[in-house]
Amino acid sequence: GREVTLGEFLGERPVTFLPVYFECPMLCSIVLEGFVKALRPLGFVPGKEFDVIVMSFDPKETPELAARKKAQTLESYGKTDTASGWHFLTGSDDQIHRVTDAIGFHYVYDAERDEYAHAAMVVVATPEGKLSRYFFGVEYSTRDLRLGLVEAASNKIGGIVDQFLLYC
């Protein structure tokens, strides 16, 4: 419910970024659930080793809707004590386009169906906000997500095994 800048979530740790819209009738909920499924066994804690930004690209969606979606997602994740590491954002059309253009995410509103056509993806960014890795689809490998976060963090998180796997 308060205004923020993306810069507030950068600087300390890697960020995973999910462009979705909260009232999506199909794909976005599947993307979010696929991401949560990959996180459960990950071993890294949102808010501690990385942050999660879930941003609606529908300018009609509200902070109240974002808060409800966050509560649903945390319940599904099963670790509500990580709430400080999850950020569900809304914005104006201009704000949304600046972010989606910057990450290379494209979508089109279909007025006849009253929904958006878009790709399914998760983006990993470095603590400085540089895009590091893209994951496409609706199911994400826990191992790949882990290595993407380690890579984005310049090996600041993860153990010797993660560093070895990156080296290989």
Side-chain angles (χ1 to χ4, degrees), residues 6-141:
L6 287 180
E8 292 178 41
F9 307 113
L10 301 174
E12 291 184 38
R13 51 191 162 255
V15 173
T16 56
F17 190 85
L18 290 83
V20 301
Y21 71 107
F22 305 133
E23 292 188 319
C24 179
M26 294 188 310
L27 188 59
C28 295
S29 293
I30 297 169
V31 168
L32 200 49
E33 187 54 38
F35 179 73
V36 166
K37 183 178 175 185
L39 285 187
R40 285 187 193 114
L42 184 65
F44 296 154
V45 179
K48 185 176 177 189
E49 284 96 3
F50 68 103
D51 280 296
V52 179
I53 296 174
V54 182
M55 186 194 85
S56 172
F57 53 85
D58 181 348
K60 294 179 286 189
E61 294 190 328
T62 65
E64 294 78 22
L65 179 57
R68 286 194 305 273
K69 193 65 166 182
K70 179 178 180 176
Q72 291 170 351
T73 302
L74 286 170
E75 183 178 330
S76 172
Y77 182 44
K79 299 176 184 178
T80 56
D81 60 326
T82 65
S84 67
W86 293 79
H87 314 284
F88 282 64
L89 308 178
T90 60
S92 69
D93 195 48
D94 179 57
Q95 293 166 328
I96 292 166
H97 276 289
R98 282 187 288 164
V99 175
T100 57
D101 289 349
I103 66 170
F105 179 78
H106 304 287
Y107 56 97
V108 175
Y109 181 70
D110 181 344
E112 186 175 307
R113 296 182 65 171
D114 190 29
E115 63 185 46
Y116 289 91
H118 60 91
M121 64 188 261
V122 173
V123 179
V124 178
T126 67
E128 294 79 29
K130 294 182 181 179
L131 303 181
S132 175
R133 180 83 50 199
Y134 287 83
F135 296 101
F136 295 99
V138 296
E139 292 186 7
Y140 311 100
S141 158

